[in-house]
Amino acid sequence: ISAIRNPMTILHLIVDRMSELIDDARCSIVSINDEGVPYVKASSDLEVHEEIKLELCKYPEISRALDSKQPVIINDIKNDPLMDPVRAQIAGLNFNSIIVIPVIKKESVIGTFLLRMATPMPAGVTKRIHKLCQLVANLSACALETAILFEKTQTAREYFAEMAIRDGLTKLYNHQYFHNCLEKEFSRSSRYHAPLSLVFFDIDNFKRINDVYGHSHGDSVLSEIGELTRSVARLSDVPARYGGEEFAIILPSTPSEGAMEVATRLGRIIRQHRFKSLDGEQITISAGISTFQDNGVQSCDQLLQRADKAMYQAKAQGKDRVVQA
């Protein structure tokens, strides 16, 4: 984490690794904003980019850690007096121990490292786990401070270089960057005999959304689709706005089964999402998948053409579905 310069990447790395190191643990990073409102910025049980606003009155262990700037350890949440104000709310929880470590740098709390055990532990929070959490919190404080400083001191040239490869509305990669990456990934997959998948999808009945609600509301839908697409993409994936209401995700080292899982999950998330600018109207997508090393694909153009064709087959079959080329 000391080498990473993106604060959110640091946070997600911490929660993922800690949940791996400690069996059945649920690990979260809570950030306190300038108004003193806590938000879960990263958690082992949340999607990437998903945030949850917390009510401090429901988390006495976090309040105690923030006030004291000291670790808070609860070995038995059902009987510890600190949890008395929320006894009714925690009655049905299936974990027994909580440890909260403040992430402190230069005497100011820049966040709270919150580790919750998902299963009862006979020994409660062991000395080993306490030391591990404290170590990670200390490392996190230094890394986050450096990363935040690095972000604030980025030059205008670096900023505009990033903006040049992003779509201004959705913040996904743009058409040109997508094609450059597809060529590079196809060449790499061909060289190392690794699978490469492409998901191509289109918003169903998007013209009607613009006609009924107006183009400003349509733009809002596109923006939210961009957020949802980023939420399912891994760090190695390349989510892009191909043009209009068409989107694509390059999935390196991913076979067709993995691509189907990503596309199906994205379709479900979009279908269940309630868009801010629509009156409860449901949005669906039609998606096509193609995979290099499947079905005799010989070039990145052919990979793209097959994904595009599969997407139109999904449209023809009734929309709101995924078709594999």
Side-chain angles (χ1 to χ4, degrees), residues 18 22 99 115 117 121 124-134:
M18 288 297 289
I22 304 174
I99 180 170
L115 174 64
M117 302 302 164
M121 298 182 67
V125 177
T126 64
K127 188 175 181 180
R128 169 185 170 271
I129 290 175
H130 184 188
K131 285 185 175 181
L132 175 61
C133 293
Q134 189 66 66

Side-chain angles (χ1 to χ4, degrees), residues 8 11-12 29-31 33 37-43 46-54 227 231:
M8 289 307 300
L11 299 184
H12 286 290
I29 297 288
V30 178
S31 177
N33 68 13
V37 179
Y39 284 85
V40 177
K41 303 294 286 187
S43 179
L46 290 180
E47 302 292 340
V48 177
H49 303 300
E50 185 178 359
E51 292 186 4
I52 295 180
K53 181 180 178 181
L54 299 181
E227 292 179 12
S231 74

Side-chain angles (χ1 to χ4, degrees), residues 151-166:
E151 283 202 336
K152 289 181 177 177
T153 56
Q154 290 294 289
T155 65
R157 181 176 180 180
E158 290 170 323
Y159 171 79
F160 286 118
E162 176 68 15
M163 290 302 100
I165 62 174
R166 295 282 182 180

